[in-house]
């Protein structure tokens, strides 16, 4: 079985591969399968709806190409800032404009938080992941990382995932992108991916 990641975001691909590197299956992108860039319209109003749209869109593309034993994992995450009424939420990449760079997104977020005291800067990362197994069976998991928005961003570690430079993680008192590997395993995406790992390991023998 191969696991196709339903994203064109290099930062997300890198994070997922880091966490699931020990799985006994090949983790691939659509380009590596010869499918090129797959564009799925994220027309949902929630992380769950968009994750399911992406998973089903990539799964359909793999099935249409008659690729066998392909499982698909979609991941839709967002940063919710309480004092900004939950923004950017599902509009993570579009919040600062359709073509905004990581640097422009970070600057836009910091400007929106100007003058807001630390105790009012609470925010969290949330993620919703959908796994579709080769037979079409769907599984869904979630994860959350609580924290607050810093006044000055740190260096952005994962291109394509700018908000990690902004969230001070409550559990560790460190910015998300500065967490070490032992701390990363307690964050939203890692918690969700560990659930995905367990589901894959429970089912992988059926596709051997």
């Amino acid at each position: 079985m191969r696991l196709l990641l339903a994203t064109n975001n290099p930062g997300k691909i890198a994070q997922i591969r880091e966490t699931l590197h020990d799985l006994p299956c090949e983790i691939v992108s659509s380009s590596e399968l010869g499918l090129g860039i797959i564009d799925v319209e994220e027309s949902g109003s929630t992380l769950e709806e968009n994750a399911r749209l992406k998973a089903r869109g990539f799964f359909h593309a793999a099935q249409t190409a008659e690729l066998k034993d392909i499982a698909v994992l979609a991941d839709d995450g967002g940063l919710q800032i309480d004092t900004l009424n939950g923004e950017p939420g599902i509009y993570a990449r579009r919040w600062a404009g359709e073509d905004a760079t990581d640097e422009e997104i970070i600057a836009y977020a910091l400007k929106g938080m100007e003058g807001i005291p630390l105790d009012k800067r609470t925010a969290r990362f949330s993620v919703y992941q959908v796994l579709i197994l080769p037979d079409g069976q769907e599984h869904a998991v979630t994860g959350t990382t609580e924290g607050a928005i810093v006044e000055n961003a740190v260096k952005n570690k994962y291109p394509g995932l700018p908000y990690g430079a902004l969230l001070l993680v409550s559990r560790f008192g460190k910015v998300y992108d500065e967490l070490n590997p032992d701390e990363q395993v307690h964050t939203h995406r890692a918690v969700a991916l560990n659930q995905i790992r367990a589901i894959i390991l429970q089912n992988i023998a059926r596709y051997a």
Side-chain angles (χ1 to χ4, degrees):
M1 188 178 83
R2 288 177 290 179
L3 180 63
L4 169 61
L5 302 185
T7 181
N8 301 310
N9 185 318
K12 191 175 290 186
I13 290 172
Q15 275 196 348
I16 294 174
R17 278 180 162 156
E18 282 180 14
T19 305
L20 298 182
H21 71 278
D22 57 339
L23 273 179
C25 64
E26 185 182 6
I27 300 174
V28 295
S29 67
S30 60
S31 296
E32 290 166 343
L33 285 180
L35 298 175
I37 300 297
I38 299 173
D39 287 318
V40 177
E41 184 179 359
E42 296 180 37
S43 56
S45 59
T46 64
L47 296 177
E48 175 183 357
E49 291 175 0
N50 284 332
R52 290 192 185 279
L53 285 170
K54 288 189 285 188
R56 292 168 182 173
F58 275 66
F59 187 74
H60 176 73
Q63 293 292 302
T64 300
E66 298 185 351
L67 295 171
K68 305 300 182 183
D69 295 332
I70 296 292
V72 173
L73 175 61
D75 169 303
D76 201 48
L79 174 69
Q80 291 104 28
I81 303 173
D82 293 327
T83 194
L84 299 183
N85 300 313
E87 292 184 5
I90 63 171
Y91 304 106
R93 289 304 312 182
R94 294 167 280 172
W95 192 36
E98 288 290 337
D99 300 315
T101 65
D102 289 350
E103 292 75 17
E104 288 169 340
I105 290 172
I106 290 170
Y108 185 84
L110 291 176
K111 185 169 182 59
M113 297 296 289
E114 281 182 355
I116 297 174
L118 186 60
D119 63 343
K120 302 293 185 183
R121 299 173 76 92
T122 54
R124 71 202 48 79
F125 280 134
S126 296
V127 68
Y128 200 99
Q129 296 179 346
V130 174
L131 173 70
I132 304 182
L133 295 173
D135 61 1
Q137 184 183 142
E138 293 189 13
H139 298 267
V141 301
T142 62
T144 305
T145 300
E146 296 287 341
I149 302 300
V150 295
E151 293 182 335
N152 298 291
V154 302
K155 182 179 180 181
N156 183 19
K157 183 177 181 180
Y158 296 99
L161 297 175
Y163 298 108
L166 293 169
L167 187 75
L168 182 71
V169 179
S170 300
R171 178 169 181 164
F172 300 110
K174 295 167 64 175
V175 176
Y176 187 89
D177 276 358
E178 295 184 326
L179 298 179
N180 63 44
D182 289 336
E183 295 163 339
Q184 281 277 358
V185 300
H186 300 288
T187 61
H188 62 297
R189 184 160 282 123
V191 167
L193 286 172
N194 283 331
Q195 297 174 69
I196 291 294
R197 175 191 284 106
I199 295 168
I200 290 174
L201 291 176
Q202 289 168 2
N203 289 276
I204 197 168
R206 296 196 286 125
Y207 308 104

